[in-house]
């Protein structure tokens, strides 16, 4: 990946009012918002339409679909009708499910395969699968292979594995990296965290900022720090802030 990673702010809040308040506060600088299961379960498709129509923002619908191929295909079609730009499915759902999701997207939105959640490390992943040992990077690469074979737009992985995936797939798989924190920020429940700059260096096309921005004392300032961090690689060093 060359150029800036696109920053996406996760609106993990319980009401449409809270989500719109944050999105309005950031809208001058941020054009892409993530609606995940917390907000979608409370506010449904209406919040997606409001973000698109009232704020002219792009929406990443992160509902991590994992079901039989026909049901996942239906969910992806519904997401396309809503006008979202990106949607997630679990890459562990198998090749048939991934192919059904990709086929249903008809290129109208990007389907991303979630590999290993950033809240896991080797030990917690092994424990959840009842195994003695699991290597997160091996699992991410294995799931990335399925996503690539199914023709998905990309995958979700942590910044720790992004460089390894990027070496194998390059621009063939867009990498979306969550668990992103500003230098010295709280990791919260995430085990594999990186800075925006490190994620971008590792090949991320999209970086997701949640609590690092939304729980900051000044979310607008925190988001601007993200832009500055992403721009730190450039020769002239100045991000577009307005
Ligand atoms: O607040 P924080 O930055 O930890 O939020 C990360 C966001 O990214 C959450 O909405 C979470 O659901 C999502 N996510 C993740 N790890 C994945 C996929 C999505 O943390 N593998």
């Amino acid at each position: 990946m060359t150029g800036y990673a696109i920053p996406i702010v996760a609106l993990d809040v319980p009401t449409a009012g809270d989500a719109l308040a944050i999105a309005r506060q950031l809208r001058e600088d941020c054009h892409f918002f993530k609606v995940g299961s917390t907000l979608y379960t409370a506010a449904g498709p209406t919040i997606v339409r409001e973000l698109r129509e009232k704020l002219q923002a792009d929406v990443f619908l992160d509902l991590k679909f994992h079901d039989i191929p026909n049901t996942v295909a239906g969910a992806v079609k519904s997401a396309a009708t809503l006008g979202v730009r990106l949607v997630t499915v679990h890459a562990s759902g198998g090749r048939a499910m991934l192919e059904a999701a990709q086929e249903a997207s008809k290129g109208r939105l990007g389907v991303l395969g979630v590999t290993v959640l950033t809240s896991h490390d080797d030990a917690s992943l092994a424990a959840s699968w009842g195994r003695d040992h699991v290597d997160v990077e091996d699992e991410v690469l294995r799931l990335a292979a399925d996503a690539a074979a199914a023709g998905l737009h990309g995958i979700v992985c942590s910044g720790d594995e992004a460089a390894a995936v990027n070496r194998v797939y390059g621009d063939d798989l867009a990498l979306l990296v969550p668990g992103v924190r500003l230098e010295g920020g709280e990791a919260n429940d995430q085990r594999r965290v990186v800075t925006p700059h490190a994620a971008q260096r590792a090949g991320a096309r999209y970086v997701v900022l949640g609590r690092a921005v939304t729980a900051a004392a000044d979310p607008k300032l925190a988001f601007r720090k993200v832009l500055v961090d992403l721009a730190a690689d450039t020769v002239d060093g100045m991000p577009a802030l307005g």
Side-chain angles (χ1 to χ4, degrees):
M1 226 286 296
T2 48
Y4 289 135
I6 298 171
I8 302 176
V9 170
L11 300 171
D12 291 324
V13 290
T15 70
D18 291 341
L20 287 171
I22 296 171
R24 283 205 177 94
Q25 203 184 347
L26 298 175
R27 181 63 186 91
E28 190 187 341
D29 302 312
C30 179
H31 315 290
F32 219 138
F33 295 98
K34 179 172 101 77
V35 175
S37 48
T38 300
L39 181 58
Y40 196 81
T41 303
T46 307
I47 185 63
V48 174
R49 289 192 196 98
E50 287 189 324
L51 288 166
R52 292 190 59 243
E53 290 160 18
K54 288 191 184 160
L55 280 83
Q56 279 79 51
D58 286 322
V59 174
F60 163 30
L61 188 64
D62 183 24
L63 296 180
K64 301 184 179 68
F65 301 129
H66 191 162
D67 211 313
I68 59 171
N70 186 57
T71 301
V72 168
V76 170
K77 274 186 203 149
S78 297
T81 305
L82 255 183
V84 308
R85 289 282 298 272
L86 295 171
V87 72
T88 42
V89 300
H90 270 285
S92 56
R95 185 76 65 78
M97 191 199 88
L98 299 177
E99 284 171 356
Q102 181 58 28
E103 159 74 21
S105 76
K106 299 209 184 309
R108 290 160 70 201
L109 76 175
V111 179
L112 300 170
V114 177
T115 58
V116 176
L117 296 173
T118 35
S119 52
H120 275 308
D121 56 17
D122 290 353
S124 68
L125 189 62
S128 76
W129 287 354
R131 299 235 206 111
D132 289 337
H133 180 72
V134 173
D135 184 90
V136 167
E137 189 172 296
D138 288 348
E139 294 305 320
V140 170
L141 285 165
R142 183 179 64 78
L143 293 165
D146 266 359
L152 297 198
H153 173 58
I155 62 159
V156 182
C157 66
S158 89
D160 287 354
E161 303 90 42
V165 178
N166 199 35
R167 269 195 297 278
V168 181
Y169 298 99
D171 286 343
D172 290 346
L173 276 182
L175 306 183
L176 181 141
V177 173
V180 175
R181 297 290 183 271
L182 287 162
E183 200 66 53
E186 284 287 322
N188 312 106
D189 55 347
Q190 301 281 27
R191 302 273 173 94
R192 291 157 29 244
V193 297
V194 288
T195 62
H197 177 95
Q200 178 174 260
R201 276 269 169 110
R205 194 175 305 178
Y206 310 98
V207 289
V208 171
L209 287 306
R211 288 162 289 185
V213 168
T214 58
D218 183 343
K220 196 172 168 71
L221 179 64
F223 189 76
R224 289 192 168 198
K225 286 184 181 165
V226 170
L227 295 181
V228 170
D229 195 61
L230 289 173
D233 274 339
T234 61
V235 180
D236 37 9
M238 278 307 293
L241 286 181

